[in-house]
Amino acid sequence: MYQTIRPVAYEPDPAQGPWHEQLHVLRLGEDLRAALVRRYEFADGHAGRPLRLPVNRLNSLLRAMAPGVLATGRNAGTDGRLPWLYAREAVPRRVLAPVLGTWATSLSDRDDEDESDGCDLEEELLADNAATEVRLPTWETEKVDLTETVMSPGGTAEPTQRLYSLLPESIAFRLAARPYRARGAALHFRVVSSGNGAELVSWPPLRYEHRKQTWYYSARVNITVHTVPFAASFRVHVSTGVRRWVTRPDVRARELSGATVLLDAPLPWPDGPNQGYRLTANTLVYDRRRKEITWRRHSPVLALPELDIVRHYPEPAELLASAEKWINGQHDVAAGIVHHTTFGTHEVGSGLMPRERSELDAWVEEGLRPVLRRVGDLTRVTRSNTPSLLPRSVENSGPDTREVRKALLRRAALARALDGRPLDVEIVWQAPETRTALLTELPKLIGLAPGSGVAQAENSWQWRSEGIEINLRTRPAGALVDALRISGDRRRRRAVRLAEAITDRCAFVAERMDPPRSEVSLVVAEIPGKGAFATAPDSDPKHALRIAWARQGRLSQFVNPADDHAANTLGHRARWTWLDAFRQLGAISPPAHRVGAGIPGDLQYAALWLVRYTKKGPTRCPARRLVAVRVRPDNGPGTIEGWKAERAEWVPYPQLLLSLAQEEHQDEGAEHQWQQETERQIRTLLFQLRGRPTLLLVGAGNLRQCWPRLRNGALARDMLGFGAEPDQPLRVHGEDLRAVLVRDANGRFEVAEWYAHDGPEKIGFSEGVWASAEPENRVFASTAGTPHTVAKLPKGLRKLVPTKECPTAPGKTAWNPAQLEVTVLGCLSEKALADSGREGVIPDRPAEWATLVHQLRYHDDYPPLARPLPLHLAYLAGQYVLPLVDAEQQHG
């Protein structure tokens, strides 16, 4: 058992002092910005309306064409006085003017636009005399502190705003200046800018020969800046992995909704470097109006031929058809399409194993010394890693007693959830094999003998046992699961046409299926996978069926037909289908914890999750919905309830799901009004929880969208804040209330990667709860073990520079357990108890509450969950948030 883990994170070194860099800074200037706005207004016919210049494409062009540019400032398109460009060296006028001119010509979408505007602007900027209307701004020099920090009132160190983009770029160029060497090989890196920081990609790509074909891949290093609650310094997170490249795209053009292409091209200026410092990100997409593959509008490659008339740049269709040719380069231009599952399979596996990750980490540490230092290792908090799970040992001579006991627990949980009511189940099947597998697995999961169901009629069975009655019918799916028929009238919004198709399917379901025979009803439906509907966007019937059955009072669970690759997993998939159905019925509860007497015996859990959809959501309808779940693990299986905001009360979890699917779309209103309403709901439900000790679990990265005071810089120990009001002690919302924030990487690398590290030769993975040695620490790391379903690989497996002992290492998929950050925001600390005058009460130990949250990730029926179970239930409830535009819009 490892005793320490090492976060792959760095922080300013107090012993070193500030990291100062003399940078060149350029402001757009009000005169030049005004001139550009006039051109933009004229091109798009928006004269007289305040506009924000679309500078994203311009910024991408400058990064590609101007090697000295480090980063771009925010809001430069709105205010010309703000810093626009940061550069290691001033970009010459003869470079900046053509780029500005080329960008100016692209401001309009009109095919008949007068391109002379851009040429005139370029000539005017190059002339730069008193007679010209606009001039190129003058570069200024500024001494920038790349470790500049502001301390929040609650004690959280925050970098100044510009460092979120400037610091990752500076670090990326610093690291790219020296190759990564391993066992005689050297990898060279290029910089790729991203919205959340910077990325390093090894270039040219590595090769893996397999099955008489060549597969291409690169090392990937992501660099982002983040804060940690109550930490004395901000953090730089470094994430490593594999970037795979497409060579034989197995995809139809119309299925391509967006693919990233990294372009490698030399600078077109005579005295520029032979090779660029960056790889430039572009996007391929299928244009449904033109019925062809095109570059997305803001891709810089669209403008490069105008700036560089000598070289040949790839056309979209040509690149897709000859991906391998372009990744190897045509003359001195190369392009790589980043692999995605849309393109089919790839023989290079994703991920890196801990030994190789630690070696890349050592290379990063050396490159950042002495300006940044490694964050300290975290040590194990407890040996009680899991709750009271059933033992895994099985006697060879007897039955699998663990499976028997699990079945009995499921049956008791199901009986508790049904509360004496019969369960009405309907299986809607396409393949007889699926129907058979579902009928076989159901009784096994609840400990009933095979064939114990009593036939009631044709295709109808009944099971009765110890307070459970299940009435099950089966029927062929037929047209119920056919693709939706979406109107082709593009004059009407997509959300309106989809809502119309969903309404039609709901009517069809109501016509074909009788109402449920019981208050508790469930449909298990076999429907085609997403790939079957790829050629017709929005035609997947899954969400329509869920709405239709919810309107009948039925929960719904789906299973996909078995293909050639999944035929031997049908029993396994049927088992998981029923387990998820039990979850929807509320027949699940966390096992008893093994934390200790510091946790109240009558503790209840409340979890908050925000469901937020844009116009790209499942019903093409924007939605924001707060979901709250309460779990009361009393004697035996616990009860699971959901918060019904309209009635301000807790209702059974299945009732919450059904009500979510039947809610109509509501106008979200102004952002601040929506935040106020959500915070009001949170206060109301907290008031309803005051009757007994409560642990409030909040997904911090998720809920801060509607509860801004959850931002790290706004946090204070044992306090809660709402709106513009001052922070209030946690006890105001409940004397025995504890609040814990959990955060994962959130798609932005917000939580650092890690590996277990008990010395140079002992590196791997380990599950447990971890913390720094700082006094009064409130922030912990929860790491889970590798699921048994994941293939075990040697921890020392190397994919970037394979060893002779394992030449097929690139083909292995490395699964790395993610770290969950657990912040005990509020508890009964010594200070909180003293402030409330509660003498004689034993103070909480934050480590115990972090351990409890960690143990809530474990359950006998599941591999370790990504979130604690109550929060997992709140998150999955979002599958039922399926708003439709109202009827007037449908027919308008």
Side-chain angles (χ1 to χ4, degrees):
M1 180 181 287
Y2 290 90
Q3 298 304 311
T4 60
I5 65 170
R6 174 161 289 180
V8 187
Y10 296 84
E11 63 185 0
D13 189 346
Q16 174 65 22
W19 175 7
H20 283 129
E21 291 281 353
Q22 197 75 21
L23 298 180
H24 296 268
V25 181
L26 188 70
R27 290 169 172 79
L28 195 58
E30 285 301 308
D31 290 342
L32 178 55
R33 181 187 174 278
L36 293 171
V37 166
R38 285 195 295 272
R39 284 169 166 81
Y40 187 31
E41 288 176 334
F42 173 77
D44 283 0
H46 291 152
R49 192 181 77 181
L51 290 176
R52 178 191 180 99
L53 282 173
V55 296
N56 287 343
R57 183 176 173 192
L58 173 58
N59 293 341
S60 297
L61 272 174
L62 282 164
R63 289 190 181 103
M65 296 289 97
V69 172
L70 270 179
T72 55
R74 296 188 177 186
N75 301 318
T78 303
D79 189 343
R81 296 166 296 180
L82 296 175
W84 171 34
L85 300 178
Y86 293 92
R88 293 165 298 168
E89 53 200 47
V91 180
R93 180 186 305 169
R94 58 185 173 75
V95 175
L96 190 56
V99 173
L100 274 168
T102 300
W103 172 75
T105 65
S106 68
L107 290 179
S108 172
D109 283 332
R110 298 183 307 175
D111 295 334
D112 60 343
E113 68 175 289
D114 183 2
E115 296 187 4
S116 63
D117 282 353
C119 298
D120 291 344
L121 178 64
E122 179 182 340
E123 293 172 2
E124 208 169 338
L125 293 173
L126 286 172
D128 199 14
N129 56 51
T132 61
E133 178 189 2
V134 294
R135 301 183 182 185
L136 273 177
T138 303
W139 285 94
E140 306 168 6
T141 58
E142 182 179 339
K143 190 177 183 180
V144 177
D145 180 5
L146 295 177
T147 58
E148 187 177 359
T149 304
V150 176
M151 192 64 67
S152 76
T156 299
E158 299 183 282
T160 55
Q161 189 64 41
R162 63 181 175 181
L163 293 189
Y164 283 100
S165 58
L166 183 55
L167 182 54
E169 296 264 343
S170 300
I171 290 174
F173 278 103
R174 185 183 181 99
L175 294 176
R178 38 189 293 277
Y180 167 70
R181 301 185 185 278
R183 291 166 298 286
L187 299 184
H188 298 268
F189 285 88
R190 298 288 188 86
V191 177
V192 180
S193 296
S194 67
N196 297 324
E199 182 178 86
L200 290 172
V201 174
S202 65
W203 196 262
L206 301 165
R207 299 184 176 203
Y208 174 50
E209 305 292 337
H210 185 63
R211 295 181 179 176
K212 298 181 180 180
Q213 293 183 355
T214 302
W215 304 86
Y216 296 82
Y217 68 108
S218 295
R220 170 192 57 78
V221 180
N222 284 91
I223 304 162
T224 50
V225 173
H226 300 282
T227 62
V228 174
F230 315 128
S233 62
F234 66 81
R235 305 290 170 83
V236 174
H237 291 172
V238 179
S239 169
T240 55
V242 169
R243 174 71 69 219
R244 297 177 291 178
W245 306 100
V246 173
T247 51
R248 300 161 192 84
D250 183 16
V251 62
R252 287 174 286 191
R254 64 176 57 193
E255 297 176 14
L256 198 61
S257 59
T260 300
V261 176
L262 298 185
L263 182 69
D264 175 33
L267 300 171
W269 321 113
D271 54 352
N274 292 329
Q275 288 186 316
Y277 290 82
R278 298 179 184 267
L279 297 176
T280 309
N282 304 271
T283 305
L284 279 179
V285 67
Y286 180 73
D287 189 321
R288 299 191 179 278
R289 294 181 180 178
R290 297 164 58 181
K291 295 186 176 2
E292 63 181 7
I293 295 289
T294 63
W295 294 113
R296 187 165 283 170
R297 181 182 177 187
H298 294 298
S299 298
V301 69
L302 286 167
L304 290 180
E306 299 178 32
L307 294 166
D308 184 3
I309 62 174
V310 176
R311 294 175 179 85
H312 171 59
Y313 291 91
E315 295 294 333
E318 175 192 6
L319 175 59
L320 196 62
S322 306
E324 185 171 11
K325 180 181 76 173
W326 277 103
I327 203 169
N328 285 311
Q330 294 297 296
H331 301 291
D332 48 5
V333 176
I337 306 174
V338 176
H339 176 75
H340 185 270
T341 53
T342 305
F343 291 104
T345 59
H346 200 291
E347 289 301 320
V348 173
S350 59
L352 298 175
M353 291 303 287
R355 171 66 66 178
E356 196 159 34
R357 177 179 291 182
S358 71
E359 292 171 353
L360 277 168
D361 186 29
W363 171 74
V364 171
E365 182 179 20
E366 183 180 351
L368 295 183
R369 194 181 293 126
V371 291
L372 297 178
R373 70 177 183 183
R374 176 189 298 284
V375 170
D377 291 349
L378 305 181
T379 57
R380 186 177 294 278
V381 168
T382 177
R383 299 180 68 88
S384 299
N385 292 323
T386 60
S388 297
L389 300 176
L390 297 175
R392 293 189 177 275
S393 59
V394 178
E395 295 182 6
N396 295 331
S397 58
D400 189 341
T401 56
R402 184 172 187 266
E403 284 301 317
V404 172
R405 293 177 63 186
K406 285 169 64 175
L408 294 176
L409 289 174
R410 291 190 204 104
R411 191 160 72 201
L414 185 58
R416 176 72 171 267
L418 294 176
D419 193 23
R421 299 166 296 178
L423 172 62
D424 179 36
V425 180
E426 188 138 359
I427 295 177
V428 177
W429 57 273
Q430 288 185 285
E433 297 82 4
T434 303
R435 170 183 175 273
T436 300
L438 290 169
L439 288 171
T440 301
E441 289 297 325
L442 174 59
K444 286 170 56 177
L445 283 170
I446 54 176
L448 302 180
S452 58
V454 178
Q456 300 294 302
E458 186 179 5
N459 299 319
S460 178
W461 293 265
Q462 183 183 74
W463 287 269
R464 283 186 175 180
S465 175
E466 299 179 17
I468 292 178
E469 179 183 329
I470 302 175
N471 298 299
L472 185 148
R473 293 171 293 179
T474 68
R475 60 176 297 156
L480 288 172
V481 300
D482 284 353
L484 299 181
R485 295 181 179 179
I486 311 295
S487 168
D489 184 1
R490 295 186 178 275
R491 294 172 298 178
R492 303 165 66 206
R493 289 194 299 123
R494 177 183 289 187
V496 172
R497 290 181 282 139
L498 178 57
E500 185 178 71
I502 290 175
T503 301
D504 290 344
R505 182 56 54 88
C506 288
F508 183 70
V509 169
E511 176 187 332
R512 291 297 183 93
M513 295 185 66
D514 296 331
R517 298 175 295 179
S518 171
E519 182 184 347
V520 187
S521 184
L522 168 72
V523 176
V524 177
E526 182 181 19
I527 64 172
K530 290 183 179 179
F533 309 102
T535 58
D538 298 330
S539 64
D540 188 338
K542 177 178 178 179
H543 303 304
L545 291 172
R546 176 152 277 164
I547 294 172
W549 284 321
R551 289 178 179 179
Q552 291 187 321
R554 288 182 164 111
L555 299 169
S556 52
Q557 178 59 34
F558 301 95
V559 60
N560 297 139
D563 55 23
D564 293 339
H565 300 289
N568 59 346
T569 65
L570 188 54
H572 174 76
R573 293 189 298 110
R575 175 187 179 89
W576 277 101
T577 298
W578 287 118
L579 287 177
D580 201 47
F582 292 169
R583 185 267 307 171
Q584 294 188 46
L585 292 166
I588 186 175
S589 188
H593 68 79
R594 295 195 300 122
V595 177
I599 306 300
D602 57 346
L603 181 71
Q604 65 180 350
Y605 307 111
L608 304 178
W609 189 264
L610 173 68
V611 181
R612 186 172 188 176
Y613 296 135
T614 65
K615 292 181 179 179
K616 296 181 180 180
T619 56
R620 304 297 180 183
C621 189
R624 283 185 286 197
R625 178 63 158 84
L626 177 69
V627 175
V629 169
R630 179 171 72 176
V631 178
R632 290 184 164 181
D634 298 324
N635 294 332
T639 57
I640 303 174
E641 298 170 306
W643 177 251
K644 187 73 172 172
E646 297 77 9
R647 289 158 40 185
E649 66 179 11
W650 296 97
V651 299
Y653 185 69
Q655 187 176 329
L656 168 70
L657 300 183
L658 294 173
S659 66
L660 290 175
Q662 299 177 65
E663 288 181 352
E664 296 182 357
H665 170 62
Q666 297 179 352
D667 186 5
E668 296 177 342
E671 185 76 19
H672 72 279
Q673 293 175 342
W674 176 74
Q675 290 178 359
Q676 289 176 351
E677 171 59 21
T678 304
E679 291 183 348
R680 184 196 64 78
Q681 291 182 29
I682 295 173
R683 289 187 182 194
T684 303
L685 68 88
L686 286 177
F687 182 81
Q688 296 279 354
L689 295 168
R690 299 169 70 94
R692 60 191 287 184
T694 302
L695 171 59
L696 179 67
L697 293 163
V698 178
N702 163 264
L703 212 66
R704 65 180 178 227
Q705 299 177 51
C706 66
W707 192 357
R709 298 287 287 278
L710 292 183
R711 186 179 60 83
N712 287 345
L715 299 177
R717 290 176 174 86
D718 303 326
M719 309 286 278
L720 281 183
F722 293 94
E725 300 176 8
D727 286 343
Q728 292 181 314
L730 195 65
R731 66 176 183 275
V732 171
H733 303 280
E735 268 199 354
D736 290 312
L737 176 65
R738 281 84 168 177
V740 172
L741 309 181
V742 297
R743 181 169 61 150
D744 57 18
N746 201 23
R748 296 159 45 91
F749 309 103
E750 290 189 27
V751 176
E753 288 188 343
W754 64 280
Y755 52 90
H757 184 277
D758 278 358
E761 300 305 320
K762 193 175 181 183
I763 292 173
F765 294 127
S766 186
E767 62 182 341
V769 186
W770 317 83
S772 67
E774 298 177 3
E776 300 184 6
N777 176 67
R778 291 291 186 94
V779 182
F780 302 83
S782 165
T783 63
T786 303
H788 67 277
T789 54
V790 176
K792 303 295 183 182
L793 297 176
K795 297 180 177 64
L797 187 78
R798 292 178 171 88
K799 297 172 64 175
L800 303 180
V801 184
T803 61
K804 293 180 179 180
E805 292 75 21
C806 190
T808 60
K812 309 298 183 183
T813 297
W815 190 88
N816 300 319
Q819 176 194 160
L820 189 67
E821 181 187 87
V822 178
T823 300
V824 183
L825 176 63
C827 63
L828 303 186
S829 63
E830 290 186 13
K831 184 178 184 306
L833 290 171
D835 290 343
S836 61
R838 296 175 67 180
E839 298 180 359
V841 177
I842 299 176
D844 286 342
R845 294 182 60 242
E848 290 186 335
W849 289 92
T851 301
L852 175 61
V853 172
H854 170 77
Q855 292 188 10
L856 284 169
R857 298 177 62 186
Y858 290 81
H859 192 277
D860 283 308
D861 276 333
Y862 298 96
L865 300 171
R867 305 171 184 89
L869 180 60
L871 201 58
H872 179 72
L873 295 172
Y875 165 74
L876 290 179
Q879 296 175 346
Y880 277 80
V881 178
L882 299 167
L884 302 177
V885 293
D886 58 42
E888 289 185 5
Q889 288 181 296
Q890 286 188 45
H891 298 95

